Amino acid sequence: MKLEDKLKELLISIPKSTVKFGNYLPFLKDENKIYISGQLPLKDGQIISGKVGNEVSIKKANQAAKLCAVNTFIILNSMGKNIDIENLSCIQLSGFVNSENKFDKHPDVINGASDFICEVLGKNGMHTRVAVGCSSLPKNACVEISSIFSLKE
């Protein structure tokens, strides 16, 4: 199955363009590895923002992490190669949670991204992972996800 078809099956709308917040590449392909820049929980120009544990619930932050993964797949789809998901694997995911000092449920938040990646890629979605808290993120986003994929061509 093609990535674009899988996203449509999951009712994920694919925008015509993506938003960048600086001078960087949204992805970099090096041989069979694809490095995806940090993705924020952005949809229709709105970012889910705030401190997790104070202003944002774990449930909402988990959904925001999923949205970051959705945006990751939109970036992958934008490569224009009509990617076959059987040839795509997630290798590593790094999740950053904008959290208050005593918050310790970072894995519960980042599971939103991990679970969605596995939903899209099946067994090829299993990956290594980092889930950490930080004092702030760009645009006060509640979560940010960066990732590395492998693509067999």
Side-chain angles (χ1 to χ4, degrees):
M1 175 179 269
K2 300 298 181 189
L3 177 58
E4 185 170 357
D5 295 333
K6 182 66 176 184
L7 295 175
K8 287 178 182 175
E9 177 184 291
L10 296 170
L11 305 177
I12 304 298
S13 62
I14 302 169
K16 301 251 187 261
S17 63
T18 56
V19 177
K20 285 181 20 176
F21 295 106
N23 186 17
Y24 63 91
L25 297 170
F27 71 89
L28 179 66
K29 187 171 184 313
D30 182 19
E31 295 184 14
N32 70 329
K33 301 291 186 283
I34 305 166
Y35 300 85
I36 305 292
S37 293
Q39 296 300 302
L40 300 179
L42 176 69
K43 184 174 182 178
D44 300 327
Q46 299 293 329
I47 294 176
I48 301 171
S49 61
K51 292 273 186 204
V52 179
N54 284 350
E55 304 162 314
V56 179
S57 69
I58 292 172
K59 182 177 180 178
K60 186 171 183 179
N62 176 281
Q63 293 167 344
K66 176 183 177 180
L67 182 54
C68 292
V70 167
N71 290 334
T72 295
F73 282 118
I74 289 169
I75 294 289
L76 286 164
N77 191 65
S78 76
M79 293 174 56
K81 295 184 180 270
N82 209 6
I83 296 171
D84 194 330
I85 61 174
E86 288 80 23
N87 295 329
L88 184 65
S89 298
C90 185
I91 297 171
Q92 209 267 337
L93 183 137
S94 297
F96 306 92
V97 181
N98 182 3
S99 57
E100 52 93 6
N101 290 340
K102 295 188 181 192
F103 186 79
D104 65 356
K105 302 210 178 327
H106 308 93
D108 295 345
V109 171
I110 303 306
N111 280 343
S114 292
D115 292 347
F116 185 70
I117 289 171
C118 290
E119 182 179 354
V120 172
L121 298 179
K123 63 179 173 44
N124 287 352
M126 292 303 298
H127 51 270
T128 63
R129 186 175 88 173
V130 174
V132 298
C134 51
S135 63
S136 68
L137 286 172
K139 308 290 184 188
N140 196 33
C142 66
V143 65
E144 182 174 4
I145 301 289
S146 70
S147 49
I148 303 170
F149 288 80
S150 176
L151 180 61
K152 296 177 197 166
E153 296 191 68

